[in-house]
Amino acid sequence: VDLAMAFAEKDDLLFLQDEYAKKPNQKEVVDWLGDCFKLSKDNQHIKSFWIEADLNGTQNDHIPSLFVSPKQQHITFEEICHFVSVLSLDSKEGQEYDLLKQCFEALEERQYIEHLGVMHSRGATKTTRMYIRGFDPKSLVAFLNSIHWPGNKEVLTAQLK
Protein backbone atom coordinates (compact mmCIF):
# COMPACT_ATOMS: atom_id res chain seq x y z
CA VAL A 1 0.00 0.00 0.00
CA ASP A 2 1.35 3.41 -0.95
CA LEU A 3 0.50 6.88 0.30
CA ALA A 4 1.09 9.73 -2.14
CA MET A 5 0.99 13.40 -1.13
CA ALA A 6 1.17 16.36 -3.47
CA PHE A 7 2.16 19.80 -2.28
CA ALA A 8 2.92 23.13 -3.90
CA GLU A 9 2.70 25.80 -1.22
CA LYS A 10 5.40 27.10 1.11
CA ASP A 11 3.33 26.14 4.17
CA ASP A 12 3.03 22.57 2.88
CA LEU A 13 6.80 22.30 2.46
CA LEU A 14 7.45 23.72 5.94
CA PHE A 15 4.87 21.37 7.52
CA LEU A 16 6.41 18.31 5.86
CA GLN A 17 9.92 19.45 6.77
CA ASP A 18 8.89 19.70 10.42
CA GLU A 19 7.20 16.28 10.37
CA TYR A 20 10.11 14.50 8.66
CA ALA A 21 12.57 16.21 11.04
CA LYS A 22 10.87 14.32 13.90
CA LYS A 23 11.61 10.93 12.29
CA PRO A 24 14.95 9.13 12.60
CA ASN A 25 17.10 8.78 9.48
CA GLN A 26 15.12 11.32 7.44
CA LYS A 27 17.65 14.17 7.20
CA GLU A 28 17.94 13.66 3.43
CA VAL A 29 14.17 14.15 3.04
CA VAL A 30 14.24 17.26 5.23
CA ASP A 31 17.06 18.68 3.10
CA TRP A 32 15.19 17.70 -0.09
CA LEU A 33 12.09 19.56 1.07
CA GLY A 34 14.30 22.63 1.53
CA ASP A 35 15.60 22.11 -2.00
CA CYS A 36 11.98 21.91 -3.21
CA PHE A 37 11.27 25.31 -1.73
CA LYS A 38 14.36 26.74 -3.42
CA LEU A 39 13.47 25.05 -6.74
CA SER A 40 9.93 26.41 -6.66
CA LYS A 41 11.23 29.93 -6.07
CA ASP A 42 13.96 29.68 -8.74
CA ASN A 43 12.03 27.81 -11.41
CA GLN A 44 8.65 28.76 -12.82
CA HIS A 45 8.26 25.40 -14.60
CA ILE A 46 7.24 23.42 -11.50
CA LYS A 47 3.60 22.77 -10.74
CA SER A 48 3.98 20.66 -7.58
CA PHE A 49 6.05 18.13 -5.66
CA TRP A 50 5.06 14.64 -4.52
CA ILE A 51 6.14 12.21 -1.85
CA GLU A 52 5.13 8.57 -2.11
CA ALA A 53 5.69 6.35 0.89
CA ASP A 54 5.26 2.59 1.17
CA LEU A 55 2.95 1.80 4.08
CA ASN A 56 4.12 -1.75 4.66
CA GLY A 57 5.44 -1.09 8.15
CA THR A 58 9.01 -0.28 7.12
CA GLN A 59 8.52 3.25 5.80
CA ASN A 60 10.51 4.69 8.71
CA ASP A 61 13.58 2.89 7.41
CA HIS A 62 13.30 4.16 3.85
CA ILE A 63 13.43 7.45 2.07
CA PRO A 64 10.10 7.93 0.28
CA SER A 65 9.91 8.16 -3.47
CA LEU A 66 10.22 11.78 -4.56
CA PHE A 67 8.48 13.37 -7.56
CA VAL A 68 8.15 16.72 -9.28
CA SER A 69 5.28 17.72 -11.59
CA PRO A 70 6.62 20.11 -14.22
CA LYS A 71 4.44 22.59 -16.04
CA GLN A 72 4.15 21.23 -19.53
CA GLN A 73 5.10 24.23 -21.60
CA HIS A 74 8.69 25.16 -22.34
CA ILE A 75 10.42 22.66 -20.07
CA THR A 76 13.91 21.86 -21.27
CA PHE A 77 15.91 18.67 -21.07
CA GLU A 78 18.48 20.48 -18.91
CA GLU A 79 15.76 21.34 -16.40
CA ILE A 80 14.61 17.72 -16.34
CA CYS A 81 18.18 16.58 -15.61
CA HIS A 82 18.41 19.13 -12.82
CA PHE A 83 15.10 17.93 -11.35
CA VAL A 84 16.30 14.29 -11.43
CA SER A 85 19.54 15.31 -9.76
CA VAL A 86 17.61 17.00 -6.93
CA LEU A 87 15.13 14.10 -6.70
CA SER A 88 18.04 11.65 -6.51
CA LEU A 89 19.42 13.53 -3.49
CA ASP A 90 22.61 13.77 -5.51
CA SER A 91 24.36 17.07 -6.01
CA LYS A 92 26.23 15.80 -9.07
CA GLU A 93 24.68 17.33 -12.18
CA GLY A 94 26.92 15.42 -14.62
CA GLN A 95 25.14 12.05 -14.39
CA GLU A 96 24.37 9.97 -17.45
CA TYR A 97 20.84 10.59 -18.69
CA ASP A 98 20.89 8.79 -22.05
CA LEU A 99 17.57 6.96 -21.67
CA LEU A 100 15.92 10.02 -20.17
CA LYS A 101 17.10 12.05 -23.17
CA GLN A 102 15.78 9.41 -25.59
CA CYS A 103 12.38 9.58 -23.88
CA PHE A 104 12.33 13.37 -23.87
CA GLU A 105 13.29 13.61 -27.54
CA ALA A 106 10.74 10.95 -28.55
CA LEU A 107 7.81 12.98 -27.18
CA GLU A 108 5.44 14.31 -29.80
CA GLU A 109 3.92 17.76 -29.53
CA ARG A 110 0.75 16.71 -27.67
CA GLN A 111 2.64 14.48 -25.21
CA TYR A 112 4.09 15.79 -21.99
CA ILE A 113 5.70 14.70 -18.74
CA GLU A 114 3.07 14.71 -15.99
CA HIS A 115 5.38 13.56 -13.16
CA LEU A 116 9.06 12.77 -12.88
CA GLY A 117 10.36 10.90 -9.88
CA VAL A 118 13.00 8.81 -8.24
CA MET A 119 11.84 5.63 -6.50
CA HIS A 120 14.02 5.60 -3.39
CA SER A 121 12.03 2.66 -2.07
CA ARG A 122 13.94 0.52 -4.58
CA GLY A 123 17.07 0.84 -2.44
CA ALA A 124 20.48 1.19 -4.07
CA THR A 125 18.98 0.62 -7.52
CA LYS A 126 16.62 3.58 -7.27
CA THR A 127 14.55 3.84 -10.39
CA THR A 128 13.71 7.03 -12.24
CA ARG A 129 10.03 7.02 -13.15
CA MET A 130 8.41 9.24 -15.76
CA TYR A 131 4.64 9.54 -16.21
CA ILE A 132 3.80 10.73 -19.72
CA ARG A 133 0.38 11.93 -20.90
CA GLY A 134 -0.97 12.24 -24.41
CA PHE A 135 -0.48 8.77 -25.84
CA ASP A 136 -2.96 6.96 -28.02
CA PRO A 137 -2.26 3.30 -28.97
CA LYS A 138 -0.44 4.20 -32.20
CA SER A 139 1.72 6.94 -30.66
CA LEU A 140 2.58 4.73 -27.67
CA VAL A 141 3.98 2.02 -29.94
CA ALA A 142 5.87 4.66 -31.95
CA PHE A 143 7.32 6.10 -28.73
CA LEU A 144 8.44 2.68 -27.52
CA ASN A 145 10.04 1.94 -30.90
CA SER A 146 11.82 5.29 -30.78
CA ILE A 147 13.42 4.53 -27.39
CA HIS A 148 14.26 0.94 -28.42
CA TRP A 149 12.02 -0.64 -25.79
CA PRO A 150 13.01 -4.33 -25.51
CA GLY A 151 9.54 -5.58 -24.57
CA ASN A 152 7.18 -7.70 -26.63
CA LYS A 153 5.52 -5.26 -29.04
CA GLU A 154 3.20 -7.92 -30.48
CA VAL A 155 1.65 -8.60 -27.07
CA LEU A 156 1.43 -4.86 -26.37
CA THR A 157 -0.23 -4.15 -29.73
CA ALA A 158 -2.75 -6.93 -29.13
CA GLN A 159 -3.56 -5.52 -25.67
CA LEU A 160 -4.04 -2.03 -27.05
CA LYS A 161 -6.73 -3.14 -29.53
Side-chain angles (χ1 to χ4, degrees):
V1 176
D2 291 340
L3 170 68
M5 297 177 283
F7 47 96
E9 303 296 324
K10 177 183 176 183
D11 290 344
D12 298 334
L13 292 167
L14 294 174
F15 169 78
L16 286 170
Q17 255 187 324
D18 288 344
E19 290 303 310
Y20 272 96
K22 296 174 188 175
K23 295 177 175 254
N25 304 320
Q26 295 296 319
K27 181 182 180 332
E28 288 176 303
V29 176
V30 172
D31 293 345
W32 177 75
L33 289 162
D35 290 342
C36 289
F37 182 68
K38 184 176 184 316
L39 267 179
S40 66
K41 285 177 61 177
D42 295 346
N43 191 305
Q44 300 303 309
H45 296 156
I46 295 175
K47 184 175 18 175
S48 62
F49 299 94
W50 293 74
I51 288 181
E52 182 181 295
D54 295 329
L55 299 181
N56 62 2
T58 61
Q59 72 273 13
N60 289 333
D61 300 324
H62 300 294
I63 294 172
S65 297
L66 308 172
F67 293 84
V68 63
S69 294
K71 293 180 181 173
Q72 282 69 47
Q73 297 176 339
H74 310 297
I75 190 145
T76 66
F77 179 69
E78 290 75 23
E79 288 173 305
I80 288 174
C81 291
H82 179 66
F83 295 160
V84 170
S85 176
V86 171
L87 293 168
S88 297
L89 305 174
D90 189 352
S91 61
K92 294 181 270 196
E93 291 279 339
Q95 298 182 38
E96 293 295 321
Y97 295 115
D98 294 339
L99 183 57
L100 191 61
K101 186 170 188 167
Q102 282 181 330
C103 292
F104 183 75
E105 290 176 348
L107 293 175
E108 296 176 3
E109 188 173 328
R110 67 186 181 284
Q111 298 161 352
Y112 61 91
I113 299 169
E114 178 74 18
H115 307 298
L116 183 65
V118 174
M119 308 294 292
H120 290 276
S121 60
R122 305 291 164 92
T125 59
K126 10 181 199 188
T127 303
T128 300
R129 182 171 284 180
M130 189 179 339
Y131 294 82
I132 300 173
R133 292 230 184 232
F135 288 123
D136 58 39
K138 186 177 177 182
S139 67
L140 176 59
V141 173
F143 175 84
L144 294 173
N145 285 333
S146 178
I147 65 166
H148 310 289
W149 180 63
N152 188 326
K153 292 177 187 81
E154 290 177 13
V155 171
L156 174 66
T157 303
Q159 293 294 317
L160 292 173
K161 289 183 180 181

